[in-house]
């Protein structure tokens, strides 16, 4: 007789519904693989009468997830409610305190309370698993937590938000504006009605904060992330990137530096030949640089009910098999304090797009400003500005776009150079700056 | 006081040396992550006096790995000897029988004796881990064994041999012949002095056989793999592929079909836009199609001492953490017998390169032969054959190269069509056929 592992699912949205169906469809396979029969016994959602495409009458029903965490006859509490406080937080805390294992897909909750919850899980000797919280169906949490155990990680980076990647991909392939692509993404269900959280990079930042902790063994620190979204990216930038051999991706990057750990989320120029440049549409990808393994890249669906449910089940299967490592890869007590590297000391190449006024000496001023900041230029591209709607180039009084690609320099030097350029009155609008990521 | 986990390393080649160094360098990190101090206590190699760049005097030395498996004071026996019999097999069996956990990087041993050894491990309630045996540093064994537990896998495929991928990449980028690229690979240490095992696909087949078992829950069956190496690939094929939007890769593919499971290793045309097409040089990549997760692809170094040692340590860390799943993902007793799909029923598109004699009706004969086999053509490319060494096209009596790309058909139909074409005497040499893999 195979032992049963009883599951309570809090939140019956897309992922919750997929999870219930997956566990039913693959029950016998999961039993063979884990030695346990995994059964949903209790569920919690707001609206009991809603048609979810499956029968919920055999499950114990709870209107309140905290009640379920307190009282349901279950071994694992699966939290699919979302949000970094409220019922999600309360029910997870309750479940851990009661000695239930917790599986969650909630990146916001972990980004904010991850260390706290890890302590709670350890104290109560239960698992806190969250493969689905980062990059959906991609097994990156397990890879970092387990497979990379023998590596010192120097950098982890990735495309962690499918909405942004879809928008940037469409802008490039179809030459459409950010706004048009966002509208399409909303129409197709790839973006929320209020897309702020995705397009401003917050969602990527939550996932990155978790990856950083797993990679570097520090406490999660999601407030210390340099954040820049994709709303200011134009088709002009994307075209210029293309001509210079780059693509623009919203990356989350965590990197060990001499002054601490850099955590940054921003639009990034990546060389076309790099693996990360070739991740299109809603796909996610995460790369890890380890001192022994080298670079490993995992690619897959970053969202969607079924893919996310697959990761939730992987977490459940780990618990069923008895795999019980600490939530953040090492005991919470030994996690280092997060030491933030100063963004002004960030080193890298930069893409600068200037709208240069057509006046004598303007270009010399720009070159001098870069030189004074000790910035060397790898490429300079100056083009005549075609006036909109006509086929004749812009007149002599129209500002001309100039693209600069710098060699490696520092953030502080770039900021200084751009301020100087602004102050000289040689550009028609504030310069546009996009960081270039050094990749193999 | 942290408990010690004692390791014996059999085989001190590149991987063994990297392993000893890794465990020393990252000992404290591994202790934090696993709760155990992992220490090499015993080693075995043929030549004790050889300089390996590290001091072996603190380890118990065994000339004979079987002796080490029998007598050393260790918890885990790490087998890095290689070979599917002899001391590797004997020492692994001895270690398992004695109740030691075994970690091995030996794909040949597992491909041949994997099920047997899994039974032995289960009987003795110890782990048999082998992440390093497939695709070096890529954590694909863990991904299939654990992360995909909630999926029915329909296909697993990948670039599993860096030597072949290096050769094919160089042939394409530099337009060099197979022989020249092989010689370069040998010079750079990417190919062995006797490269047969790599270039004929046997190495890929061993790894594929293991992946197949993990993906489909069947007994390992490495003798039932359709095998075709890369030695017959010419630059003409690579150029034609390029013009038609494909690249040629040596893939290992395991796929569920109506008649059983297909296991095949052969040069494969993959669409340029596919992720797998973009894996260059010595890199490896493995893709898994699951019914819930969709497609997940893992990319990384497939060989090299350090990358392989990283995977060996991941296996050791699993044992240290107490993770003890069955070796092949489910108990050996419930593994299904391997049901081989008949290769003649393989379905897919095909690339056919013909050297057509310039005689009236030749092309009509070819078209008729394809039609009789009910094969539809997606593209037909006919080019004048430039004579070697001159700039004038081949004369009227020279055979002309013709490339056909078929729509999906079966292996038996293609074979029949090609035989008919041969029998009509309209081609100057046997047709060249390369399978096309359907990819997203």
């Amino acid at each position: 007789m195979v032992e049963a592992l009883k599951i309570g699912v809090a939140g019956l949205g897309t992922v919750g519904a997929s999870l219930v169906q997956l566990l039913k469809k693959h029950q016998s396979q999961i039993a063979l693989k884990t030695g346990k029969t995994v059964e949903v016994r209790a569920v919690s959602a707001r609206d009991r009468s809603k048609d979810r495409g499956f029968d919920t009458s055999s499950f114990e029903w709870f209107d309140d997830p905290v009640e379920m965490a307190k009282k349901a006859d279950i071994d694992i509490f699966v939290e699919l409610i979302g949000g970094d406080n409220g019922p999600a937080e309360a029910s997870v805390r309750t479940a851990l305190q009661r000695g239930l294992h917790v599986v969650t897909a909630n990146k916001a909750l972990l980004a904010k309370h991850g260390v706290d919850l890890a302590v709670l899980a350890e104290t109560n000797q239960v698992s806190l698993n969250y493969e689905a919280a980062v990059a959906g169906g991609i097994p990156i949490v397990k890879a970092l937590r387990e497979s990379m155990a023998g590596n010192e990680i120097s950098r982890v980076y990735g495309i962690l938000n499918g909405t942004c990647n879809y928008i940037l991909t469409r802008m490039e392939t179809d030459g459409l504006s950010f706004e048009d692509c966002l509208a399409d993404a909303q129409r197709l269900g790839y973006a929320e009605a209020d897309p702020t959280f995705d397009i401003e990079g917050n969602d990527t930042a939550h996932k990155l904060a978790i990856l950083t902790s797993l990679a570097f063994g520090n406490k999660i620190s999601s407030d210390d992330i340099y954040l820049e979204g994709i709303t200011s990216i134009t088709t002009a930038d994307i075209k210029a990137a293309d001509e210079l051999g780059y693509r623009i991706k919203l990356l989350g990057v965590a990197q060990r530096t001499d002054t601490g750990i850099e955590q940054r989320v921003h639009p990034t120029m990546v060389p076309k030949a790099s693996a990360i440049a070739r991740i299109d549409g809603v796909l996610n990808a995460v790369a890890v640089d380890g001192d022994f393994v080298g670079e490993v890249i995992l690619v897959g669906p970053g969202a969607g009910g079924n893919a996310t449910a697959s990761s939730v089940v992987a977490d459940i299967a780990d618990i069923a098999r008895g795999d019980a490592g600490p939530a953040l890869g090492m005991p919470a007590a030994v996690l280092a304090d997060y030491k933030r590297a100063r963004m002004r000391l960030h080193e890298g190449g930069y893409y600068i797009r200037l709208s240069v006024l057509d006046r004598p000496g303007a270009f010399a001023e720009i070159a001098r400003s870069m030189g004074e900041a000790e910035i060397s230029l790898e490429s300079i591209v100056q083009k005549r500005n075609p006036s909109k709607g006509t086929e004749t180039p812009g007149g002599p009084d129209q500002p001309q776009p100039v693209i600069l690609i710098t060699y490696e320099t520092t953030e502080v030097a770039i900021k200084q150079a751009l301020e100087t350029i602004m102050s000289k009155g040689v550009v028609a609008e504030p310069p546009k700056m996009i960081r270039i990521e050094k990749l193999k």
Side-chain angles (χ1 to χ4, degrees), chain A residues 294-327:
Chain A
E295 183 167 273
V296 171
I297 306 180
L298 283 68
V299 181
N306 283 349
T308 308
S310 165
S311 283
V312 170
V313 171
D315 282 347
I316 293 173
D318 277 356
I319 294 168
R321 271 200 345 274
D323 187 7

Side-chain angles (χ1 to χ4, degrees), chain A residues 279-345:
Chain A
I279 306 302
D280 284 333
V282 294
L283 279 183
N284 278 201
V286 189
V288 183
D289 295 334
D291 61 346
F292 275 79
V293 76
E295 183 167 273
V296 171
I297 306 180
L298 283 68
V299 181
N306 283 349
T308 308
S310 165
S311 283
V312 170
V313 171
D315 282 347
I316 293 173
D318 277 356
I319 294 168
R321 271 200 345 274
D323 187 7
L328 292 167
M330 48 180 81
V334 303
L335 292 172
D337 286 327
Y338 172 69
K339 191 182 170 207
R340 180 183 191 163
R342 282 174 294 176
M343 193 60 193
R344 55 195 296 274
L345 297 182

Side-chain angles (χ1 to χ4, degrees), chain A residues 144 146-154 215 256 288-294:
Chain A
L144 277 171
E146 301 173 13
S147 304
M148 305 295 159
N151 287 271
E152 179 175 281
I153 311 287
S154 54
R256 209 186 278 279
V288 183
D289 295 334
D291 61 346
F292 275 79
V293 76

Side-chain angles (χ1 to χ4, degrees), chain A residues 80-156:
Chain A
L80 303 172
I81 302 164
D84 64 5
N85 51 29
E89 186 194 358
S91 62
V92 165
R93 286 189 188 274
T94 304
L96 292 171
Q97 275 155 352
R98 190 186 151 198
L100 300 179
H101 301 290
V102 167
V103 173
T104 176
N106 189 334
K107 52 216 159 244
L109 180 69
L110 288 162
K112 192 164 174 190
H113 302 292
V115 177
D116 241 36
L117 297 175
V119 171
L120 208 51
E122 282 170 40
T123 310
N124 292 282
Q125 294 181 290
V126 289
S127 292
L128 169 62
N129 288 348
Y130 50 88
E131 185 64 84
V134 184
I138 301 176
I140 184 62
V141 171
K142 186 176 272 285
L144 277 171
R145 198 156 71 164
E146 301 173 13
S147 304
M148 305 295 159
N151 287 271
E152 179 175 281
I153 311 287
S154 54
R155 179 171 60 171
V156 55

Side-chain angles (χ1 to χ4, degrees), chain A residues 178-291:
Chain A
F178 171 79
E179 290 73 20
D180 288 347
C181 294
L182 173 58
D184 261 12
Q186 286 172 317
R187 200 172 42 75
L188 293 163
Y190 297 155
E192 316 255 350
D194 177 359
T196 316
F197 218 68
D198 289 320
I199 62 179
E200 296 295 357
N202 308 77
D203 175 74
T204 299
H206 284 159
K207 294 165 182 165
L208 181 66
I210 299 168
L211 293 179
T212 305
S213 174
L214 287 168
F216 302 113
N218 59 266
K219 290 176 187 154
I220 296 174
S221 184
S222 57
D223 293 337
D224 286 327
I225 298 183
Y226 175 84
L227 198 62
E228 216 176 277
I230 63 166
T231 54
S232 70
I233 299 296
T234 65
T235 49
D237 295 321
I238 287 177
K239 272 183 206 153
D242 180 53
E243 286 167 15
L244 290 158
Y246 293 94
R247 299 186 72 187
I248 299 175
K249 295 291 182 188
L250 182 73
L251 292 193
V253 184
Q255 183 174 16
R256 209 186 278 279
T257 77
D258 292 342
T259 62
I261 292 165
E262 254 180 40
Q263 288 188 103
R264 48 195 168 85
V265 173
H266 52 71
T268 311
M269 309 263 288
V270 293
K272 274 185 197 172
S274 65
I276 210 81
R278 291 151 165 180
I279 306 302
D280 284 333
V282 294
L283 279 183
N284 278 201
V286 189
V288 183
D289 295 334
D291 61 346

